[in-house]
Amino acid sequence: MNPSTDFVPEFDGAPLVWCDQVNHHFGSGENRKQVLYDVRLRVWPGELVIMTGPSGSGKTTLLTLIGGLRSAQDGRMTVLSRQMTGLSRNELVAVRRGIGFIFQAHNLFESLTALQNVCLPLDLLEIPKEEKVRRASEILDRLGMGHRLQYKPEALSGGQRQRVAIARALVAKPKLILADEPTAALDKERSRDVVDLLQELAHKDGCSILLVTHDNRILDVASRIVNMVDGRVATDIDVQNSMATCEFLSRVDVLSKLPPATLAELSQKMMEERFPAGSWIIRQGNEGDKLYLMKSGSAEVVKEELGKMQTLRQLTPGDVFGEISLITNRPRTASVRAVNDIHCLSLTKEDFDKAMDTSQSFKDRLLQVFFSRRFQGGIDIPLR
Amino acid sequence: MIGNANRVPLTWYMLTHRKSRLLLAMMGIAFAVLLMFMQLGFLTGLFDSQTLGIRLFDADLLMVNRTKHNLTLEEFFLEKRIIQARDVPGVARTTGVSMDSTLWRHPQTGRQDVIRVIGIDPDHPPFLLDEVVAQSSLLHEPMTILFDRGSRSFFGTPVAGNEAELGARRVRVLGTFNLGADFKMDGNVLASQSTYRALFPLSAPDQISVGLIRLKSGESPAKVQQAIRDALPSDIDVFTIDEYDQIERRFWSKMTPTGFIFTLGLIVGFAIGVMICYQILYNEINDHLPQFATLKAIGFSNGYLVGVVLKEAILLAVLGLVPALFASQAFYSIMTQLTGLHMELTLMRIVLVSVLTVVMCVISGLIAVGRVMKADPAEVF
């Protein structure tokens, strides 16, 4: 279960890329090898998605399918509102024109100048020559190559050649940009220029960018990070939301000392739940099966004691509740009722226990806490 | 696509990027073109030389023995037929020519070679050559000849006044003219009929090789030709100059291996050109495979890439033609001097070889295109 992909982000409109149950094979007969298994992926306009994974994980293959460089075999794949399975060669060519590709190798024509190389994709459009030159010069300028327009690749450094290749990919203002290690040949400053430009295109022009990379200097620009392993999507993490979740989780005393990796894992395992106003999320006395993180709405903690209902406190977005029973393995000490419509994330006891088991320091901390609580005279108060 | 100045002229830049490679490619194509010109030169030189004599005859119609396939066969017919023809309406005048060959001895080296002797009526010069017309009446004097300067050099270079040994007889050279050698005979001399009979005592005195018939002005050659055929017995036949030219050419191209060999040579030159051009284009494509695949990823169709390859092929053809033309002209001049055969670079022949060159390059381009179609954009990742 992956809440992140079910979760509709702030972007509106239809996704530019929509993959569902995509399978792909190479070879035939005895040599038939499956390289993609049941791939599920959405990319909305304005998103910058980073794809990572070991070599052979299928991420490059997926990129070629999305880009129309290969015909999709099995499953549902829609790119730029076009169904991608079973397309003819001409149809594939038409799709490619709306997509910008940035390859690892620059693949520039040695016999053409930087400006001419970047003008090439514009030959597909019916615009006058001066306009082509203007657009090409502009994008090259933005990438810091304005002073080298008339140079041929042999007179440019590796990083400069790559920037020309990137300019070529972007000059026709594609709505979808697919990039394979675009910053591999660039130094820190130039890498920053490139990803800043890509991010700007995503935010301002609503382009979608799918970026395969191992460069951890540029992770901060991602709105989502997809990890592929052995042909499957292992994780698909909405960065902003996940980071917020982890941050909330880390505020919980018990969880605060957990390493970020465990917190990230936990946040991934959390499921979305909604509760209408007035419903009970937790009932006093029930077995503790989940903990909750409040995302929107408010709730109140109510304790029944000696026949009387007593409201202990209010819960607001960002609060974590219900973790006590998970930790103590005792029944719920209080109830929680939704005041208005509630949207929260929940984590099962099983996943919680697994995460706890792996952390040594947590166990110590836990014992500490218990010790101090017992010291406070046995009154169970919710942990903050 | 070709005339679109709006687009980046990728083909031109690709081809001219490395000068040394371009030069090598041009030389490769030029070599194949030169081969074709050479074979064409031999072939046409063959035909032109053989038919030169026919074209130079001072006649509208030619009369020959019915079985004579070409001028080189020694078939004779009765001289009186030529005389009879004079009575056919439309005929202005006729004259007879005898041909045979014998040994000529080089005045200095003593080397002996076979030479053609053409026996003529000194009052009726048979060739439309100024020098022949001017000097033929001198041949009334017995045992005199006019020597063809166009003969192969091993005959020597006799001039007026020289004595020479022809057919083991002593003759005197009264002058020279320029006709030229052909594939059958390396040289020619002109003599009067009486000198001819003295040189060839065994020849039938009433028989000649070719009859030259001049028509009255305004007469239709076809009509008179038919009239002569009707009037005279069928042991002879009459042809117009054009018809006889054709017969001669057909003979050399069909009945002898020479024509076939040179035509085959032309085809081989063409095939070599295709292979050379294909090799060049194939290497060019291979070197640019990632770039071509990238173009496909950008969204260029296969058709565009095919266009690039074909344009390059045609450009190569043009660039290879230019040096080849110069080399061929030089070759033709040298060959004409060495062999006495007429080799000429006419406009028709230049056009023919140019067309063949372009076709040759386009064919190799089309074969090479298969390679470019296979460029897989997915592999570029």
Side-chain angles (χ1 to χ4, degrees), chain B residues 147-153 155 176-182 185-188 336-342:
Chain B
F147 184 82
D148 179 3
R149 291 195 305 275
S151 308
R152 300 281 303 274
S153 52
F155 289 113
T176 64
F177 61 102
N178 193 357
L179 181 60
D182 61 52
M185 283 294 164
D186 297 317
N188 307 288
T336 306
Q337 274 194 353
L338 280 182
T339 65
L341 295 173
H342 269 90

Side-chain angles (χ1 to χ4, degrees), chain A residues 11-270:
Chain A
F11 317 108
D12 48 24
L16 284 182
V17 177
W18 186 303
C19 301
D20 243 331
Q21 294 176 314
V22 169
N23 294 289
H24 201 76
H25 297 87
F26 282 150
S28 59
E30 277 188 10
N31 292 327
R32 197 170 142 100
K33 183 176 187 297
Q34 185 155 4
V35 289
L36 289 177
Y37 297 82
D38 235 16
V39 166
R40 191 167 175 278
L41 181 71
R42 318 282 153 97
V43 182
W44 270 268
E47 278 201 301
L48 199 158
V49 177
I50 288 185
M51 280 218 308
T52 64
S55 64
S57 57
K59 55 190 193 297
T60 309
T61 307
L62 184 60
L63 217 61
T64 59
L65 289 180
I66 293 173
L69 301 188
R70 285 200 173 100
S71 186
Q73 295 164 350
D74 183 24
R76 181 182 161 188
M77 187 180 300
T78 310
V79 176
L80 296 172
S81 309
R82 277 180 108 117
Q83 255 296 346
M84 297 296 284
T85 38
L87 285 188
S88 73
R89 201 185 303 146
N90 286 342
E91 289 166 319
L92 280 176
V93 166
V95 173
R96 289 175 201 163
R97 292 189 186 182
I99 303 176
F101 289 93
I102 304 174
F103 304 101
Q104 213 167 345
H106 57 81
N107 290 334
L108 299 172
F109 278 101
E110 299 290 329
S111 46
L112 300 178
T113 64
L115 187 63
Q116 286 170 325
N117 265 298
V118 176
C119 277
L120 263 181
L122 297 175
D123 280 348
L124 288 169
L125 308 168
E126 298 292 324
I127 53 178
K129 183 152 181 213
E130 306 81 48
E131 179 65 16
K132 287 183 195 171
V133 170
R134 190 191 64 78
R135 289 197 202 178
S137 314
E138 191 187 316
I139 187 99
L140 280 166
D141 203 32
R142 266 170 104 183
L143 284 165
M145 292 295 296
H147 59 301
R148 292 252 188 272
L149 295 181
Q150 302 301 337
Y151 284 60
K152 292 200 178 149
E154 64 196 355
L156 300 174
S157 72
Q160 289 173 326
R161 288 178 205 163
Q162 182 61 345
R163 281 186 278 155
V164 175
I166 292 171
R168 180 180 62 185
L170 305 177
V171 72
K173 299 213 193 304
K175 274 272 160 261
L176 176 63
I177 297 162
L178 305 177
D180 187 14
E181 300 283 4
T183 57
L186 302 176
D187 63 32
K188 186 163 164 208
E189 205 183 307
R190 296 296 173 213
S191 298
R192 201 31 48 182
D193 286 340
V194 168
V195 294
D196 282 349
L197 173 60
L198 289 176
Q199 198 176 31
E200 192 185 319
L201 287 170
H203 285 167
K204 284 227 199 101
D205 302 4
C207 299
S208 294
I209 302 169
L210 200 50
L211 213 137
V212 169
T213 189
H214 294 108
D215 186 353
N216 51 16
R217 299 172 300 182
I218 60 170
L219 299 178
D220 56 306
V221 302
S223 43
R224 219 142 38 84
I225 298 180
V226 173
N227 201 343
M228 288 197 69
V229 177
D230 288 336
R232 284 170 220 273
V233 174
T235 60
D236 183 348
I237 299 175
D238 180 330
V239 172
Q240 302 297 61
N241 277 308
S242 288
M243 280 175 76
T245 306
C246 289
E247 213 215 323
F248 290 137
L249 285 178
S250 71
R251 290 202 206 136
V252 175
D253 207 22
V254 208
L255 306 174
S256 63
K257 284 294 197 283
L258 286 180
T262 315
L263 282 181
E265 243 185 84
L266 279 182
S267 74
Q268 283 313 290
K269 295 213 169 84
M270 298 187 81

